Amino acid sequence: MKKIEAIIRKSKFDQVRDALHQVEVNFFSYWDVTGVGNEKKGHVYRGVSYSTTDIQRRYISIVVSDAFLDRTIEAILKSAYTGNVGDGKIVVSEVLEVYRIRTREKGQESLN
């Protein structure tokens, strides 16, 4: 089992959610986060300078079976892409065990 953590643009969240549902990833957690990016210059809009160092993003956390890993990552990569700086990151890590509290199932069965 793997844990996928993705930090994406908030504006792309609906597309990412729909792409995940299309590849049968129907459960995940998400929340709004603020991060600090690599870009140091600000942007000017109508004569007002805005800092781009503090970036509003959406953080998505998903636990999937090994069989779902590639399709989940590909769905996020395709749907979150704009081609511009700040599209986000995906981190994959190993999950030792998962338990479903209600039924006490563990492992693969707890993800279904």
Side-chain angles (χ1 to χ4, degrees):
M1 291 177 287
K2 303 287 192 266
K3 181 177 184 180
I4 301 169
E5 298 168 291
I7 300 170
I8 63 168
R9 297 174 183 275
K10 288 175 80 171
S11 62
K12 299 296 278 182
F13 177 74
D14 288 341
Q15 290 168 284
V16 171
R17 181 194 58 217
D18 294 345
L20 290 171
H21 288 318
Q22 287 177 5
V23 296
E24 300 177 26
V25 175
N26 296 311
F27 180 81
F28 55 88
S29 300
Y30 69 91
W31 50 97
D32 293 333
V33 296
T34 302
V36 177
N38 290 328
E39 190 174 343
K40 301 299 181 216
K41 63 181 181 178
H43 291 278
V44 177
Y45 178 72
R46 295 189 177 184
V48 178
S49 180
Y50 293 92
S51 170
T52 56
T53 58
D54 296 330
I55 305 167
Q56 297 294 313
R57 295 287 182 251
R58 187 140 294 161
Y59 181 97
I60 301 171
S61 178
I62 311 165
V63 176
V64 296
S65 66
D66 290 346
F68 273 79
L69 180 64
D70 290 338
R71 72 176 91 170
T72 303
I73 291 172
E74 191 59 32
I76 296 168
L77 287 171
K78 285 183 179 177
S79 58
Y81 177 81
T82 68
N84 297 313
V85 172
D87 275 351
K89 301 273 192 260
I90 299 173
V91 177
V92 178
S93 55
E94 198 72 40
V95 173
L96 298 177
E97 193 62 82
V98 176
Y99 294 86
R100 181 175 298 176
I101 296 171
R102 179 178 54 87
T103 62
R104 296 182 174 255
E105 293 170 302
K106 73 176 195 174
Q108 189 66 38
E109 295 79 33
S110 68
L111 294 179
N112 300 330

